[in-house]
């Protein structure tokens, strides 16, 4: 059965995430990040930041919410029984700081059959309250046995 490709180019509603100081600390602790910029407000301020600095991969917290609706969209048509995680790639802009409001928009960039496997590629663009792109993510899922 051929892949459904009508969803290529589809953009989903923006999702906004308010970055909290405790969420940064919790995430940093969970991933073993020990840099004081992620835990100690005085250290972050001494380094010239207004508040705690989010670790780069905190992007999965604020951007992941925007990617979910596309993955579960019936127009995209992912067969979850056959899906495996392909990859995630990120390009970062300005640092994310506690107190920022990050708005992420997600788009279906590609749906393609490669050797009997379906490649579903999504792009998320996350911007802070000033409009600066803090992170652009490419999220790839692979579905086995599509043709």
């Amino acid at each position: 059965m051929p892949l459904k490709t009508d969803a290529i180019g589809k953009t989903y509603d923006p999702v906004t995430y308010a970055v909290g100081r405790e969420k940064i600390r919790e995430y940093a602790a969970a991933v073993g990040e020990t840099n004081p910029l992620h835990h100690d407000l005085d250290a972050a301020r001494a380094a010239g930041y207004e508040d705690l600095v989010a670790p780069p991969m905190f992007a999965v917290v604020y951007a992941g919410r925007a990617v979910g609706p596309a993955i579960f969209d019936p127009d995209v048509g992912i067969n979850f029984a056959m899906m495996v995680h392909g990859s995630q790639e990120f390009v970062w802009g300005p640092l994310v700081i506690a107190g920022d409001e990050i708005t992420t928009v997600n788009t279906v960039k590609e749906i393609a059959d490669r050797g009997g496997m379906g490649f579903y590629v999504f792009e998320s663009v996350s911007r802070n309250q000033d409009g600066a792109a803090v992170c652009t993510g490419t999220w790839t899922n692979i579905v086995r046995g599509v043709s």
Side-chain angles (χ1 to χ4, degrees):
M1 181 160 133
L3 291 177
K4 294 169 57 174
T5 58
D6 292 346
I8 296 172
K10 184 174 182 179
T11 297
Y12 296 82
D13 291 338
V15 176
T16 300
Y17 181 87
V19 180
R21 184 182 294 159
E22 292 309 314
K23 291 297 181 185
I24 290 174
R25 285 183 176 133
E26 290 167 1
Y27 180 87
V31 299
E33 178 58 69
T34 59
N35 187 321
L37 296 179
H38 311 308
H39 297 277
D40 184 334
L41 182 58
D42 291 334
R45 288 186 173 156
Y49 301 104
E50 290 182 29
D51 214 304
L52 295 183
V53 177
M57 285 306 295
F58 191 75
V60 299
V61 175
Y62 58 77
R65 291 177 164 189
V67 176
I71 291 173
F72 291 105
D73 185 346
D75 290 342
V76 174
I78 292 178
N79 177 353
F80 292 99
M82 301 300 284
M83 185 180 88
V84 295
H85 176 5
S87 69
Q88 290 172 292
E89 298 174 35
F90 297 100
V91 176
W92 285 276
L95 294 174
V96 172
I97 308 295
D100 282 351
E101 286 204 5
I102 308 299
T103 300
T104 303
V105 174
N106 188 53
T107 303
V108 180
K109 295 303 277 188
E110 178 184 0
I111 300 173
D113 183 334
R114 296 186 193 144
M117 295 186 291
F119 282 72
Y120 296 80
V121 181
F122 306 93
E123 180 182 77
S124 62
V125 178
S126 302
R127 297 184 181 279
N128 65 18
Q129 64 279 356
D130 299 323
V134 296
C135 184
T136 299
T138 303
W139 312 66
T140 303
N141 293 289
I142 301 170
V143 176
R144 299 166 297 184
V146 296
S147 61

